[in-house]
Amino acid sequence: MDLQRAAVYDHYAQVFALFCGAKPVASPEDAHARFTHLLQTAQHAFAACGEDLLFCKTAADWKLAQQSGKTAAFLSIEGAELLQSETDIRTALEAGVRIVTLAWNHDSVYGCGASTDQTAGLKLAGKQLAQYLSSHGVYLDVSHLSEQGFWELADCVSTPFLATHSNSRCVCNHPRNLTDEQFCEIVRRGGLVGINGYVPFLTKHRTASCDDLVRHIEHFYELGGEKQLCIGADWDGCDRLPKDISDMAGMEHLAEALARHNYSEQQIADIFYDNAAAFVSEHF
């Protein structure tokens, strides 16, 4: 993905994630160094692209980006283990972070990832962090979080959940995907689920196509999630995308596949933009 390819879309908004890193955080000092470097990198990149991109902290910012024809950029943290001091938590809030993934694939000071142990949930510090962030207008992302952690989070916060890049476990049995019960809880809370393009989350076959993406969308539709779906393609987080989607410009092929499956123009617009836009309008 890049801004040049994004220019083919009438409106484009992107959540940019400060990623904790594939290697576990070694210490609070390591967490601080990683977080500071990532935040500064994002801020410099946003500033350098100011003619084409607007960094958005609120719904009002997002509407201004639409009106000015600019890409709307939101900031998230993927892996809450980056935030291990009160100072860094406050810095993240002041910087405009609006979404935080509580755990990545491994175990951390806050909780455990689904790829490590589905029965290991949130730690006390993770529950406390979730409650604090939720009370300060940050939405919790349950992609990567263990199943036990998901339900413990449901018990400790009342705000909507996001699963920014997760598919259906019923359609493809992978620990990173959502069970029907998890998806229905997100729907009940009025959250969002971003359909992920990573092949192993779509199918057990070596390759995938847009029709595999449609299968996940159709299953979530059957569960009443028509207004909860958006695109969580994981562009820079994976190395195996469907054969007809080599980059973000290829998303037109998903729109064509949905049309072949009798999805209306409005339903396609909902998945591609309008559902996420409605969430931002209501909650940001």
Side-chain angles (χ1 to χ4, degrees):
M1 60 160 288
D2 55 43
L3 292 178
Q4 183 177 356
R5 279 175 281 201
V8 303
Y9 300 108
D10 291 336
H11 298 298
Y12 177 60
Q14 178 72 47
V15 176
F16 291 89
L18 309 183
F19 172 48
C20 62
K23 184 178 180 180
V25 172
S27 65
E29 293 75 20
D30 183 28
H32 173 74
R34 293 192 198 189
F35 171 63
T36 301
H37 171 71
L38 289 165
L39 179 59
Q40 291 176 349
T41 299
Q43 290 171 332
H44 291 159
F46 292 162
C49 298
E51 290 187 4
D52 303 302
L53 176 150
L54 181 65
F55 173 46
C56 301
K57 298 181 180 181
T58 65
D61 294 337
W62 164 72
K63 290 177 181 177
L64 180 60
Q66 282 190 307
Q67 292 166 1
S68 59
K70 293 185 176 184
T71 292
F74 296 92
L75 198 57
S76 74
I77 289 175
E78 186 168 4
E81 54 262 46
L82 288 177
L83 304 177
Q84 294 195 27
S85 71
E86 292 184 8
T87 298
D88 285 341
I89 293 171
R90 287 196 301 271
T91 298
L93 294 173
E94 292 168 0
V97 170
R98 299 306 305 267
I99 300 170
V100 171
T101 310
L102 283 173
W104 196 61
N105 285 342
H106 41 248
D107 192 30
S108 76
V109 295
Y110 292 126
C112 190
S115 297
T116 298
D117 186 351
Q118 291 280 29
T119 65
L122 292 177
K123 297 170 184 176
L124 177 60
K127 296 176 183 178
Q128 292 171 336
L129 178 67
Q131 291 171 333
Y132 182 83
L133 292 175
S134 179
S135 70
H136 284 78
V138 174
Y139 291 88
L140 287 314
D141 180 7
V142 298
S143 286
H144 288 284
L145 186 61
S146 70
E147 193 169 344
Q148 179 66 23
F150 178 101
W151 294 112
E152 289 177 351
L153 180 64
D155 287 338
C156 71
V157 302
S158 59
T159 50
F161 290 167
L162 307 176
T164 57
H165 51 304
S166 295
N167 296 334
S168 166
R169 201 182 306 176
C170 181
V171 176
C172 179
N173 187 16
H174 191 287
R176 271 280 286 104
N177 286 339
L178 298 167
T179 66
D180 286 357
E181 292 77 14
Q182 287 175 307
F183 181 78
C184 288
E185 178 65 14
I186 294 172
V187 172
R188 187 186 72 79
R189 290 171 178 258
L192 285 174
V193 172
I195 296 296
N196 194 319
Y198 185 41
V199 170
F201 299 167
L202 291 170
T203 177
K204 292 300 182 180
H205 299 295
R206 179 66 186 171
T207 61
S209 70
C210 284
D211 287 337
D212 292 299
L213 284 161
V214 173
R215 288 193 304 127
H216 287 266
I217 291 169
E218 288 189 328
H219 183 73
F220 284 149
Y221 255 58
E222 292 170 359
L223 296 176
E226 182 171 342
K227 295 298 184 180
Q228 268 64 54
L229 297 181
C230 60
I231 301 298
D234 214 3
W235 296 119
D236 61 351
C238 67
D239 56 4
R240 292 171 58 197
L241 291 166
K243 58 187 177 183
D244 35 8
I245 303 179
S246 60
D247 61 15
M248 63 182 299
M251 290 302 287
E252 64 181 283
H253 297 301
L254 174 58
E256 292 166 356
L258 288 166
R260 289 197 304 271
H261 285 79
N262 299 315
Y263 284 73
S264 68
E265 287 187 11
Q266 184 56 61
Q267 288 173 319
I268 295 170
D270 284 347
I271 294 168
F272 271 70
Y273 193 85
D274 290 354
N275 286 343
F279 186 90
V280 170
S281 294
E282 180 176 356
H283 298 290
F284 283 24

